[in-house]
Amino acid sequence: MTGRRIVAIGGSDAGISAALRARELDPTADVTVVVADAYPNFSICGIPYYVSGEVTHWTNLAHRTADDLAATGMTVLTDTRATAIDALGHSLAVTDAAGRSRSLDYDALIVGTGAVSARPPIAGLTGPDALGPKEGVHLLHSMGDTFEVMDSIRARDPQTAIIIGAGYIGLEMAEGLTTRGVAVTQIESLPEVLPTVDPELGALVHDELERHGVEVITAATVSAITDTDGALTVAAARSTGQTFTRTVDLVLVVVGVRPDTALAADAGAQLGVKGAIVVDEGMRTNLPDVFAAGDCVVTHHRLLGTTWLPLGTTAHKQGRVAGENALGGDAAFAGSLGTQVVKVFDLVAARTGLREHEAVGAGFSPVSTMSTPDDHKAYYPGATPISIRITGDADTGRLLGAQLVGRRSAEISKRVDTYAAALFHRMTVEGVSEFDLSYTPPLGSPWDAVQMATQAWVREHRLTAERDALKSQLHRGKVDIS
């Protein structure tokens, strides 16, 4: 079908990917993207590096300029808010920056409204007396949030800051503010920073933060933020019950996100895990000719089944599927493995697949092995150990997950990608040794660190089990050793 009218809501990864795919496959399609702000196709993941000064101008965060997008033939309506979906009438109500309202008719609609910052129940952050950007208290998830943070930095010239939350963005912002010369205190409610990896690996990140002067406080919950003549006091309590306060110039609250689904839900879209929009593998919702993709939808995980896992890489892939199917195609999202990586100063932490508790919940029998192979041959200068935890299924030997922490020079992101490829193809832990990986002494070993870690798992779990089985047979006289 040609000449279809396609409307995408959202100018980030999913919405733009969908629009680009539709234009790529059918140059006659009338594609319109509705963007609530003035920043279509900007890299939200790059915000910490603009705050740090490593990205020198905010415009450099644009994946594509407005002219680049226009050159594809799509129409981008910036500063335009989608207000209602008429699913039966196939129209979308929008309001522009001047307050003018109109309707956009469509043959297919793609919802890519993404996620919004979670706002924890902290006195002074919620309620009628909530502090905000003017007082130096910030959430951080959008370009608008970014400009408010930068305005605070210019106006307040902060010497001290508290970051509430020690996930990916919180850790990156700790580095970014430290790079700017700000003394940072990081407060995390869970027992260790970077809770997407096991605590002993998170502890390595914790140590790296402290090596660079960040005060790290874990197992502590913030209860209140107060402003006294421009000084911000954060009150918190440790899990032991001990209370404490810190007074700083700037506060960032980065404790995660939640799916932004109000628009779709009001139109009758079915919601599922974590309140995200339910979609099939073709990104179809329960509404006629309405697709959805990105951080606002459930994630089809190759090991877990249906979950919610907001990731930019996933949003790009889902958007591409939605854009193709909006034209009448039959593409399918192949599924996520939750592959993630973060740089914290000179350390890199990555994971893919499942940790043990997740694997148990998915019905596997997981066992794990930790090893620390060098990133390259020890006789070549600069070799550093990589902490690698391999999780596999005790019954089948199937690879279930990998977690890695090492120096930036150790190519952690590419090594986790090797495990992700193995997971995607349902390989066994032992099968990873069959990979034909590159080798030269300055960069690796004849058996790469990736393989040495899986071999350690095999020695501990598979070979031990086989030896025990053989000993049992010998004991019962069932093995002929003549």
Side-chain angles (χ1 to χ4, degrees):
M1 183 183 298
T2 60
R4 284 174 66 82
R5 297 165 301 175
I6 297 173
V7 175
I9 306 169
S12 194
D13 299 335
I16 295 296
S17 290
L20 289 170
R21 182 59 171 166
R23 287 293 302 168
E24 177 184 35
L25 293 176
D26 183 5
T28 72
D30 178 0
V31 178
T32 299
V33 183
V34 177
V35 185
D37 59 21
Y39 312 104
N41 212 202
F42 271 69
S43 174
I44 303 304
C45 297
I47 288 172
Y49 310 108
Y50 170 54
V51 173
S52 72
E54 294 163 281
V55 175
T56 56
H57 198 275
W58 64 268
T59 55
N60 295 333
L61 294 177
H63 294 303
R64 296 172 185 81
T65 66
D67 288 342
D68 292 335
L69 296 173
T72 69
M74 71 175 71
T75 299
V76 179
L77 303 178
T78 56
D79 292 314
T80 301
R81 186 167 297 278
T83 57
I85 300 169
D86 179 357
L88 295 181
H90 282 60
S91 70
L92 175 70
V94 300
T95 302
D96 66 16
R100 295 183 295 262
S101 298
R102 60 172 169 141
S103 293
L104 302 176
D105 294 332
Y106 63 80
D107 296 307
L109 178 70
I110 301 163
V111 178
T113 45
V116 294
S117 294
R119 189 181 288 266
I122 297 172
L125 185 64
T126 59
D129 298 322
L131 303 173
K134 290 182 179 179
E135 293 81 20
V137 179
H138 299 269
L139 303 175
L140 185 62
H141 186 63
S142 68
M143 288 303 298
D145 296 337
T146 304
F147 295 135
E148 290 173 346
V149 170
M150 295 304 288
D151 287 345
S152 275
I153 289 174
R154 283 187 286 268
R156 302 171 73 88
D157 188 24
Q159 302 303 300
T160 55
I162 279 181
I163 298 175
I164 302 171
Y168 286 84
I169 298 298
L171 294 172
E172 290 167 345
M173 286 303 299
E175 177 182 349
L177 290 177
T178 300
T179 300
R180 293 188 70 100
V182 179
V184 174
T185 296
Q186 189 140 39
I187 301 176
E188 169 60 48
S189 63
L190 294 172
E192 191 51 272
V193 303
L194 193 58
T196 53
V197 300
D198 288 345
E200 52 265 57
L201 291 167
L204 301 176
V205 178
H206 186 139
D207 292 344
E208 181 75 0
L209 290 164
E210 293 186 331
R211 270 195 295 272
H212 286 82
V214 178
E215 180 189 21
V216 181
I217 303 173
T218 56
T221 302
V222 174
S223 58
I225 306 170
T226 56
D227 178 10
T228 305
D229 298 327
L232 297 165
T233 299
V234 174
R238 301 179 190 273
S239 58
T240 58
Q242 177 190 7
T243 61
F244 64 93
T245 61
R246 294 287 187 278
T247 299
V248 294
D249 304 315
L250 187 74
V251 175
L252 296 182
V253 182
V254 281
V255 296
V257 296
R258 58 178 177 81
D260 185 359
T261 59
L263 181 72
D266 287 347
Q270 180 184 352
L271 304 183
V273 181
K274 302 290 186 181
I277 302 167
V278 173
V279 291
D280 65 13
E281 293 178 0
M283 312 317 297
R284 301 174 183 86
T285 73
N286 62 303
L287 302 175
D289 299 310
V290 177
F291 301 80
D295 292 355
C296 61
V297 308
V298 299
T299 305
H300 297 281
H301 194 289
R302 293 180 69 86
L303 292 163
L304 284 176
T306 300
T307 186
W308 181 63
L309 187 58
L311 291 171
T313 49
T314 299
H316 278 284
K317 295 179 181 73
Q318 291 175 336
R320 187 175 174 87
V321 170
E324 182 167 339
N325 290 345
L327 293 172
D330 194 28
F333 173 55
S336 172
L337 289 163
T339 308
Q340 304 168 57
V341 64
V342 63
K343 182 184 85 71
V344 183
F345 296 103
D346 192 44
L347 202 69
V348 177
R351 64 162 291 181
T352 186
L354 306 181
R355 294 161 63 192
E356 278 198 14
H357 70 280
E358 296 165 333
V360 169
F364 295 102
S365 300
V367 288
S368 299
T369 294
M370 177 78 86
S371 59
T372 54
D374 283 342
D375 68 318
H376 63 257
K377 291 301 294 183
Y379 60 72
Y380 186 87
T384 62
I386 307 173
S387 298
I388 305 178
R389 179 180 287 273
I390 298 297
T391 299
D393 186 68
D395 297 330
T396 65
R398 180 180 174 181
L399 178 66
L400 298 177
Q403 303 169 62
L404 303 84
V405 176
R407 309 318 296 179
R408 187 179 181 185
S409 60
E411 297 288 354
I412 301 301
S413 65
K414 295 301 102 182
R415 285 184 157 112
V416 78
D417 289 346
T418 303
Y419 290 125
L423 284 164
F424 189 92
H425 292 288
R426 302 172 62 91
M427 292 181 63
T428 62
V429 178
E430 192 166 9
V432 173
S433 287
E434 299 174 4
F435 279 152
D436 183 18
L437 302 180
S438 62
Y439 161 59
T440 185
L443 301 175
S445 299
W447 290 113
D448 189 78
V450 165
Q451 295 166 312
M452 285 189 270
T454 56
Q455 289 165 359
W457 185 95
V458 170
R459 285 193 298 273
E460 180 176 358
H461 300 293
R462 302 300 280 180
L463 293 183
T464 299
E466 290 171 6
R467 285 194 295 267
D468 289 345
L470 181 59
K471 288 178 182 177
S472 176
Q473 292 179 45
L474 284 168
H475 180 72
R476 294 196 304 269
K478 293 186 177 181
V479 175
D480 182 2
I481 58 173
S482 61

